Amino acid sequence: METLSLYELNRLIRITLREGMPDTYWVQTELSEVREAYNGHCYIELVQKAERGNTLLAKARGTIWANIYKMLKPYFENETGQAFTAGIKVLLQVSVEFHEQYGMSLTVHDIDPTYTLGDMARRRREILMQLEDEGVLTLNKELPMPVLPQRLLERRGMETSATSYRATLMDLSSIPSFSRL
């Protein structure tokens, strides 16, 4: 019976993985943890959960080296309007790495922000459908507009209605004098 040291076994695994999986792969995953290091690298935990429920199906460590992360993060955030943070679903281009001492990890080379945008739109539709099913989607439209904002809007000569209330407040927030009222 041939015996191997742990190092020898891990070295064999590293060589086998490098030869058997030399390419990069696009992987759909959720970020469960995102840690930015002082040196500019980003360390992430990737997970896949069951479609129904939160049962964990798979988990892996990932690394985004500083030279990639400094371009990838702003690109992703500009394209999606969302922070690169835990809890979002992403499509990452990765290569599989194995180190004798640290085990397996995925090295991130690229990201496809359109996948995250599609997931965000799907989640928004699901939430809207759930609110509609529960009969609460349009409840805010039935509420009277508060008196104070109505007076502020009327004093500025703006039209007021329950449907345009939020948009009007957004417009007012850009007026410097509004914040002093």
Side-chain angles (χ1 to χ4, degrees):
M1 172 171 79
E2 182 183 347
T3 61
L4 299 172
S5 69
L6 180 59
Y7 176 81
E8 291 169 330
L9 177 62
N10 281 354
R11 185 170 177 272
L12 181 60
I13 292 170
R14 179 176 53 85
I15 292 167
T16 304
L17 276 175
R18 188 180 338 129
E19 290 172 359
M21 300 182 80
D23 300 325
T24 60
Y25 304 91
W26 285 98
V27 177
Q28 300 171 358
T29 187
E30 180 179 329
L31 300 175
S32 67
E33 190 176 328
V34 177
R35 293 182 319 273
E36 294 181 16
Y38 69 92
N39 57 9
H41 302 320
C42 181
Y43 301 100
I44 55 179
E45 274 302 314
L46 309 171
V47 296
Q48 180 180 348
K49 298 176 184 173
E51 294 260 343
R52 303 227 184 254
N54 263 352
T55 306
L56 189 63
L57 299 177
K59 185 176 182 178
R61 289 182 307 113
T63 304
I64 310 172
W65 301 118
N67 62 327
I68 300 291
Y69 189 62
K70 71 180 179 186
M71 294 181 293
L72 185 141
K73 181 183 178 188
Y75 167 64
F76 176 82
E77 291 178 347
N78 287 336
E79 292 293 314
T80 63
Q82 178 163 343
F84 188 77
T85 186
I88 59 173
K89 291 189 179 176
V90 292
L91 181 61
L92 301 174
Q93 184 185 34
V94 301
S95 59
V96 180
E97 308 292 334
F98 190 88
H99 187 276
E100 289 85 354
Q101 188 176 0
Y102 304 111
M104 190 198 81
S105 70
L106 302 175
T107 299
V108 176
H109 301 280
D110 201 357
I111 190 167
D112 183 356
T114 58
Y115 176 82
T116 302
L117 286 171
D119 184 62
M120 289 167 55
R122 180 193 54 77
R123 285 182 21 212
R124 181 179 185 276
R125 279 193 312 273
E126 288 173 355
I127 291 168
L128 289 174
M129 287 172 46
Q130 180 182 356
L131 292 173
E132 179 85 35
D133 291 346
E134 294 172 2
V136 296
L137 182 61
T138 59
L139 284 180
N140 282 346
K141 289 183 179 180
E142 299 170 13
L143 296 173
M145 189 158 54
V147 176
L148 179 62
Q150 274 184 334
R151 279 189 273 152
L152 288 173
L153 297 175
E154 289 167 359
R155 201 166 78 191
R156 295 202 174 272
M158 296 184 170
E159 227 177 276
T160 61
S161 74
T163 57
S164 67
Y165 176 66
R166 175 176 272 176
T168 305
L169 283 181
M170 294 299 283
D171 289 343
L172 282 175
S173 67
S174 65
I175 301 170
S177 61
F178 180 74
S179 60
R180 291 185 294 228
L181 295 176

